[in-house]
Amino acid sequence: MTKHIIGGEITYECLGGGDFRFQMNVYRDCAGSGASFDNPAVITIYRQSGNSYSFVRSFTVSLDRPPTAIPAIEMPCMQVPPGICVQGAQYTFEENLPQSNDTYHIIYQRCCRNNTITNINNPNSTGATYSVELTPLAQQLCNNSPTFNDFPPILICANQPIDFDHSATDPDGDELVYEFCSPVEGGGLAGSAEQPGDPAACDGVAPNPGCPPPFTPVSFVQPNFSFTRPMSGSPVVSINSSNGFISGVPEFLGQYVVGVCVKEFRNGQLLSVVRRDFQFNVTDCQPLVLPIIENTVLVNDTFFVTSCGDNTVFLENNSTQRSNIDSHFWEFDVRNNGVFETFSEWSPTVLFPDGIGNYNGKLFLNPGEPCGDTADVVVDIFPGLESDFTLDYDTCVAGPVTFTDLSSTDAESIVDWDWTFGEGGSSMDSNPIYEYRVPGNHLVSLTIEDNNGCKDTFQRIINYFPVPSLLVVDPSEVLGCAPQLVDINNLSFPIDSTYDILWQLGDGNTSTAVSPRHLYENPGTYNVSVDITSPIGCMTDAAWDGLIRIRPTPVADFTCEPPSVTSFDSEVRFTDQSIDAAFWDWTFGEKGFSFEQNPVYVFPDTGLQTVIQIVEHPEGCRDTMFKVIDVVPEYRYFLPNAFTPNSDGKNEIFLGKGFFENIGTFRMIILNRWGELIFESRDPNLGWNGRKYNTGEPSPGGVYVYQVRLSSTRGETMELKGFVTLLR
């Protein structure tokens, strides 16, 4: 199967007596590994009456001749990608179609389209239908359909205008109207390597017979494309309804399916519609010669050069492709008197003696040759301007820096000031005031712009190393409990690690950090001071009396008696062993609490219970101690040695006694003297009533063996074995 069908159409010629000669052209992309054209091809005829379609016949047609290559439109001055190739195949056949009041549809269907198509969904599984209609009026008048004069261009250059004559010729001189219309589907992937099925079915690669109308339009990728807008463009690609000219400027590379319909009218009545389905290849073409002038503005193919205050202008020629440029020269009317001077340098420096003004010129590349080009150049020489400023600040004590603009211009005015201060700040004021937060050598830049758009920049470095005008720390006071780790955050600015800094922390320790961190181990009140010297020798200092106040901290501790208890006796006595405590806060597991110094507590639950003691010094500092008490879950289980299941209401059940709450797993079995199992229980509350499995015949009196295996909720196991006497 071919995956590279890119177009086709069917036209007809009336021979008289109901005989018609049909010509079908099919086109394919011959690049890559596409298969050959169908030889023979299957043609199918249907007859339409109202909305009903009846099969007439199906037959095969062989190629008229071997496929031929369709030449690309010559683009001698463009470099285009190699290897783009299109082949055309022609099929001619004659059929006798008796005149009828119904319409005949002559169709050919084939899958699939080129799988790289851009504007429709699932192109690799979308086939094509090429068809033509013989309307009753066309049969009656022995009409001849119009035929297209040319095949569309094989490739189109992106961002280059299309101007293609897609007109048709009508042998009968009928009126022709052109429009974009939707290509239609035909066939599918059934019977291919990609998908099993019948290749001759309607969804097969080569339907035989072809399937009847109505045909499904191809699915365009929405919202960017539709059959009336098959390609993007600026202006959008369109067709002239009167003459068939396709025009526009496609913007994006890709392959685009396009449908063109030509409608044939005679005396205002529609005779026929010929539909051509084809593919545009939009590619990236590079001009062999293209003028480019650096540092210019290109407007409507004219390069504008601006010079501010200098009537000597350097024109940097960066035209491409230089290997294709054999000759060149420049022309400029340097005095604006209509006399052009010639310059032969590749990138000339041109003097405009009269200074301020607008001067016209041209750049000629390969003049007189087929692949030549010309560029219009306009040189605008404007009055000069100069950026300048001064600054004023206290070099030793931090404060605002005042910037004063000293810029000048010979133009009407300066309209824009753009300041950058070297640490991220900026301003659009003419005379800004700026306060630095970071010391350093900051590059200050002022760019000015005048009413002509001319710009100039002046830069200078400010050596900014004052000491802060005010020393501020956070927090403003520290109240903590010994030992206390304190962070003194220095909020003063400008200051950084290049400054000499010495902190006196009040407990005999010092620090040279900008913002020190220190551990105060002992209670007390501490005064803090700092001395700062900037890199240029400016000095400042500050002291904070009583900044740090560290209070005494108690030491929590306690004993417990006993350290481990059981669920049968879970009372624990706690004895406070803390130091310097005045208040006590106890928590016992999840439920108990106390404010006594030496509490006694009975734990209601078993398991590991966390006991927390929080003690508080009279000045408010606290300490905490954690201990774990294990409340061991216990159980009791005892069995009698005899029972009397005689229905007197006394001692009727062989059942264990004791405390079962903490029993996890349990199994008791009863065996008779022959070792036969006669009872089993997994519930310590379920005993043996003297019958087999508690439901059978009464067991005879005598001695029976019991075995019990149980475990606690913590997994500790116990086994009991013995004899029980059944008395009746």
Side-chain angles (χ1 to χ4, degrees):
M1 121 180 150
T2 175
K3 288 188 178 179
H4 301 283
I5 289 177
I6 65 168
E9 78 271 351
I10 301 176
T11 58
Y12 64 86
E13 175 187 358
C14 182
L15 304 178
D19 291 329
F20 290 87
R21 178 183 293 121
F22 296 90
Q23 180 175 305
M24 180 174 70
N25 295 310
V26 180
Y27 310 99
R28 76 178 207 105
D29 181 353
C30 58
S33 58
S36 300
F37 292 101
D38 288 338
N39 192 17
V42 176
I43 305 297
T44 306
I45 301 177
Y46 285 91
R47 191 160 77 179
Q48 178 186 0
S49 177
N51 292 324
S52 298
Y53 299 87
S54 58
F55 176 76
V56 177
R57 58 181 168 271
S58 181
F59 52 92
T60 60
V61 180
S62 299
L63 282 168
D64 293 354
R65 56 183 178 273
T68 58
I70 298 175
I73 295 177
E74 291 292 330
M75 290 187 284
C77 295
M78 299 294 290
Q79 180 177 326
V80 299
I84 296 178
C85 172
V86 171
Q87 289 179 333
Q90 181 175 298
Y91 303 83
T92 302
F93 54 95
E94 295 183 5
E95 285 294 307
N96 181 268
L97 299 171
Q99 185 174 330
S100 169
N101 291 326
D102 297 333
T103 296
Y104 290 102
H105 292 265
I106 296 83
I107 67 171
Y108 166 69
Q109 295 175 327
R110 196 63 162 87
C111 190
C112 286
R113 299 176 185 269
N114 195 314
N115 59 9
T116 55
I117 288 173
T118 305
N119 64 339
I120 68 172
N121 295 302
N122 305 313
N124 61 318
S125 61
T126 301
T129 296
Y130 308 124
S131 65
V132 71
E133 301 176 14
L134 268 176
T135 64
L137 183 59
Q139 300 170 51
Q140 176 187 343
L141 298 177
C142 194
N143 179 60
N144 298 287
S145 72
T147 58
F148 291 107
N149 297 322
D150 292 300
F151 185 73
I154 293 175
L155 60 87
I156 298 170
C157 295
N159 299 307
Q160 298 293 322
I162 304 174
D163 193 9
F164 172 68
D165 182 358
H166 199 276
S167 62
T169 298
D170 186 73
D172 304 322
D174 294 318
E175 179 187 2
L176 303 181
V177 176
Y178 304 89
E179 65 183 15
F180 283 150
C181 56
S182 181
V184 294
E185 298 181 3
L189 289 176
S192 67
E194 294 91 337
Q195 182 174 308
D198 182 3
C202 281
D203 61 349
V205 295
N208 185 7
C211 299
F215 306 116
T216 302
V218 298
S219 173
F220 281 93
V221 176
Q222 298 289 340
N224 296 327
F225 304 105
S226 65
F227 76 86
T228 58
R229 186 187 175 94
M231 302 170 63
S232 60
S234 180
V236 69
V237 176
S238 62
I239 188 168
N240 187 296
S241 61
S242 300
N243 56 27
F245 270 76
I246 296 177
S247 60
V249 179
E251 294 179 290
F252 303 109
L253 307 185
Q255 295 175 312
Y256 301 87
V257 169
V258 180
V260 172
C261 288
V262 54
K263 295 181 177 180
E264 178 187 13
F265 292 89
R266 186 178 301 177
N267 299 323
Q269 292 184 289
L270 179 64
L271 284 174
S272 70
V273 179
V274 174
R275 180 191 304 267
R276 171 181 273 178
D277 177 335
F278 66 96
Q279 173 187 301
F280 271 151
N281 298 302
V282 180
T283 187
D284 185 16
C285 305
Q286 296 296 328
L288 294 178
V289 174
L290 180 66
I292 299 174
I293 305 174
E294 290 297 311
N295 302 315
T296 61
V297 176
L298 182 62
V299 179
N300 296 327
D301 297 326
T302 298
F303 291 94
F304 286 86
V305 183
T306 298
S307 178
C308 299
D310 190 353
N311 60 352
T312 300
V313 179
F314 173 68
L315 299 163
E316 184 177 356
N317 187 355
N318 198 25
S319 301
T320 63
Q321 303 176 26
R322 190 159 183 181
S323 61
N324 297 319
I325 301 174
D326 299 322
S327 60
H328 71 279
F329 66 89
W330 303 73
E331 285 187 351
F332 281 100
D333 183 0
V334 298
R335 293 187 178 276
N336 267 337
N337 59 1
V339 177
F340 284 81
E341 293 186 17
T342 301
F343 301 85
S344 60
E345 297 89 353
W346 176 255
S347 296
T349 298
V350 180
L351 172 63
F352 297 89
D354 295 337
I356 297 172
N358 306 108
Y359 301 88
N360 294 320
K362 288 182 181 292
L363 168 60
F364 296 88
L365 302 175
N366 291 344
E369 297 181 20
C371 291
D373 205 348
T374 302
D376 289 319
V377 185
V378 174
V379 176
D380 291 322
I381 298 180
F382 293 114
L385 73 167
E386 183 178 5
S387 175
D388 192 14
F389 64 87
T390 61
L391 54 89
D392 183 54
Y393 67 102
D394 189 324
T395 58
C396 249
V397 179
V401 180
T402 301
F403 295 90
T404 302
D405 174 40
L406 299 179
S407 303
S408 61
T409 179
D410 293 329
E412 292 182 7
S413 61
I414 298 173
V415 297
D416 186 67
W417 294 262
D418 185 4
W419 296 83
T420 58
F421 300 113
E423 65 165 8
S426 61
S427 175
M428 303 297 288
D429 294 337
S430 57
N431 297 293
I433 297 175
Y434 185 75
E435 189 165 3
Y436 284 91
R437 301 189 70 86
V438 178
N441 296 312
H442 300 299
L443 179 64
V444 182
S445 175
L446 169 61
T447 299
I448 60 170
E449 181 178 349
D450 65 21
N451 60 291
N452 295 316
C454 290
K455 294 183 178 182
D456 188 49
T457 299
F458 176 69
Q459 296 178 327
R460 64 181 295 181
I461 292 176
I462 176 174
N463 301 308
Y464 193 76
F465 293 99
V467 292
S469 59
L470 178 66
L471 292 176
V472 179
V473 296
D474 178 53
S476 57
E477 66 174 345
V478 175
L479 182 63
C481 299
Q484 179 74 44
L485 184 64
V486 176
D487 286 305
I488 302 175
N489 186 15
N490 189 352
L491 302 180
S492 313
F493 68 90
I495 190 173
D496 63 14
S497 59
T498 65
Y499 284 57
D500 290 330
I501 304 171
L502 181 61
W503 292 88
Q504 300 291 339
L505 300 174
D507 63 349
N509 290 289
T510 61
S511 174
T512 58
V514 173
S515 295
R517 167 178 283 191
H518 183 60
L519 179 66
Y520 288 88
E521 297 183 356
N522 300 312
T525 299
Y526 301 96
N527 302 326
V528 175
S529 64
V530 65
D531 292 289
I532 299 175
T533 303
S534 78
I536 61 174
C538 300
M539 303 176 64
T540 188
D541 58 58
W544 296 271
D545 291 340
L547 178 68
I548 311 295
R549 181 186 170 195
I550 306 300
R551 297 172 296 175
T553 300
V555 178
D557 192 16
F558 63 91
T559 61
C560 46
E561 183 63 34
S564 178
V565 294
T566 71
S567 55
F568 293 142
D569 184 8
S570 60
E571 180 181 279
V572 180
R573 294 175 299 280
F574 296 94
T575 302
D576 174 45
Q577 300 289 324
S578 63
I579 301 174
D580 293 335
F583 305 97
W584 298 264
D585 185 352
W586 301 81
T587 301
F588 309 106
E590 296 182 354
K591 298 180 180 179
F593 63 91
S594 174
F595 298 108
E596 298 178 9
Q597 182 177 5
N598 299 293
V600 177
Y601 185 71
V602 177
F603 288 93
D605 298 322
T606 61
L608 299 177
Q609 307 291 327
T610 300
V611 178
I612 305 172
Q613 181 198 49
I614 301 175
V615 296
E616 184 175 330
H617 188 273
E619 291 193 34
C621 290
R622 293 185 172 192
D623 191 29
T624 302
M625 171 65 75
F626 297 84
K627 289 188 179 181
V628 175
I629 301 294
D630 188 9
V631 181
V632 179
E634 289 197 351
Y635 61 88
R636 298 287 185 268
Y637 187 82
F638 307 98
L639 283 169
N641 58 11
F643 74 114
T644 58
N646 54 10
S647 302
D648 65 355
K650 298 178 181 179
N651 200 21
E652 297 284 339
I653 305 296
F654 179 61
L655 181 67
K657 305 295 183 182
F659 183 78
F660 301 163
E661 181 177 344
N662 294 317
I663 292 178
T665 62
F666 174 87
R667 182 174 184 251
M668 179 176 70
I669 61 174
I670 307 293
L671 306 173
N672 61 21
R673 61 181 175 174
W674 295 282
E676 178 188 5
L677 179 68
I678 60 174
F679 178 73
E680 180 179 10
S681 172
R682 295 185 181 275
D683 182 354
N685 294 299
L686 176 63
W688 181 39
N689 65 6
R691 296 174 181 269
K692 189 173 184 178
Y693 296 117
N694 277 6
T695 59
E697 293 295 324
S699 298
V703 177
Y704 293 83
V705 176
Y706 67 81
Q707 295 179 7
V708 175
R709 182 181 178 85
L710 55 83
S711 66
S712 70
T713 53
R714 289 193 175 181
E716 299 169 349
T717 61
M718 180 181 74
E719 291 188 3
L720 299 174
K721 294 181 180 180
F723 301 96
V724 58
T725 301
L726 188 156
L727 301 173
R728 290 195 181 277

